[in-house]
Amino acid sequence: MKYAEVDSSTPVITELSSRVEDRFCTLRWRWPDGVQAVCIHKASAEAPVDGDSPPAGMKLYTREEYKANNGYRDRLDDIGLVAYTIFARLAEHGDTMLVRQKDGDNRIVVSAGKARIYYSILQKKGLFSKQKTVHMTITAEVPVGRDVLCYVKKKGGYPSGKEDGVLFPFVQDFAAGKSSLPPIEIGKEDFVRIFFTDGRKYGLYYELVPE
């Protein structure tokens, strides 16, 4: 299987659209005349899209299947942004050829949703102590890497962001489910909050929810 040479007469996929509902994505597109099947590639939207050879792991989908199902329906098991690319499938001299469209009209990006990360922070202060003990708990719907979250300590009030105080990284990954972290000691005028290390990046994949 390889890419076909494309010119103005090559049949291409157009009017590609998506609809996401209940963790399922439905794709619809206009079939070019003469094309009876396509190959569908699914990958993270951050994955590279260029290459001299067609990507592996594609699904063959026929025009008859499309008509019977009123489109292509796929379950979204991932989180974050997912890219679908629909390649028109041609037969040429006994070889299977795929149409690579430089205009990008055969590629669409959908949001597969966000996994929730719940966190709780409990502070305990002794009657005559100059310090207080902080207990942090993370409850994640999916495994979360240690580089996703951090906690910030600020004197005199709760920090409003990761730059508003002293930032501390976490030293271990978080498994799916509840993780109780070792307690830490802070000054009695200090306050702690948990943030994403990169809100723009990780906010596409996770939702941080206080308990």
Side-chain angles (χ1 to χ4, degrees):
M1 189 181 298
K2 57 184 179 179
Y3 287 127
E5 295 294 331
V6 179
D7 57 33
S8 59
S9 64
T10 304
V12 294
I13 301 297
T14 57
E15 300 181 25
L16 177 59
S17 65
S18 65
R19 180 181 179 184
V20 177
E21 187 175 9
D22 295 331
R23 302 295 295 173
F24 281 91
C25 176
T26 301
L27 301 178
R28 296 186 177 92
W29 60 88
R30 178 179 290 277
W31 287 75
D33 293 338
V35 172
Q36 299 302 317
V38 298
C39 286
I40 302 174
H41 182 247
K42 176 184 178 182
S44 167
E46 298 179 353
V49 296
D50 293 328
D52 295 330
S53 300
M58 289 188 289
K59 179 179 177 62
L60 176 66
Y61 202 65
T62 66
R63 187 188 284 256
E64 287 74 18
E65 289 176 298
Y66 182 94
K67 289 180 179 179
N69 297 313
N70 191 27
Y72 173 73
R73 193 165 185 257
D74 183 53
R75 180 176 177 83
L76 294 170
D77 293 320
D78 303 314
I79 58 174
L81 299 179
V82 176
Y84 290 93
T85 307
I86 315 298
F87 295 98
R89 186 175 183 269
L90 310 176
E92 187 174 298
H93 306 300
D95 293 329
T96 299
M97 313 288 285
L98 300 183
V99 177
R100 177 169 53 177
Q101 297 179 218
K102 294 183 178 180
D103 58 14
D105 287 349
N106 64 327
R107 183 177 186 267
I108 196 166
V109 175
V110 302
S111 174
K114 301 178 182 181
R116 290 189 173 184
I117 303 173
Y118 299 92
Y119 71 92
S120 67
I121 300 175
L122 179 63
Q123 302 181 92
K124 294 183 178 180
K125 182 171 60 174
L127 184 60
F128 301 106
S129 175
K130 294 182 179 180
Q131 291 187 313
K132 54 187 175 183
T133 303
V134 175
H135 298 267
M136 291 183 283
T137 301
I138 302 292
T139 305
E141 294 181 335
V142 298
V144 177
R146 72 191 73 181
D147 57 332
V148 173
L149 301 175
C150 63
Y151 68 93
V152 177
K153 182 181 71 173
K154 180 183 178 181
K155 188 172 183 177
Y158 286 101
S160 59
K162 67 174 185 176
E163 295 85 9
D164 187 27
V166 181
L167 185 149
F168 297 89
F170 289 106
V171 297
Q172 63 184 28
D173 297 333
F174 302 98
K178 185 175 181 179
S179 300
S180 297
L181 304 177
I184 60 172
E185 298 291 329
I186 61 175
K188 65 178 182 179
E189 300 299 327
D190 292 335
F191 295 85
V192 170
R193 270 187 178 163
I194 294 175
F195 299 96
F196 288 125
T197 55
D198 187 335
R200 179 174 295 182
K201 177 181 179 180
Y202 295 118
L204 295 173
Y205 302 93
Y206 308 101
E207 181 180 356
L208 194 55
V209 183
E211 289 187 309

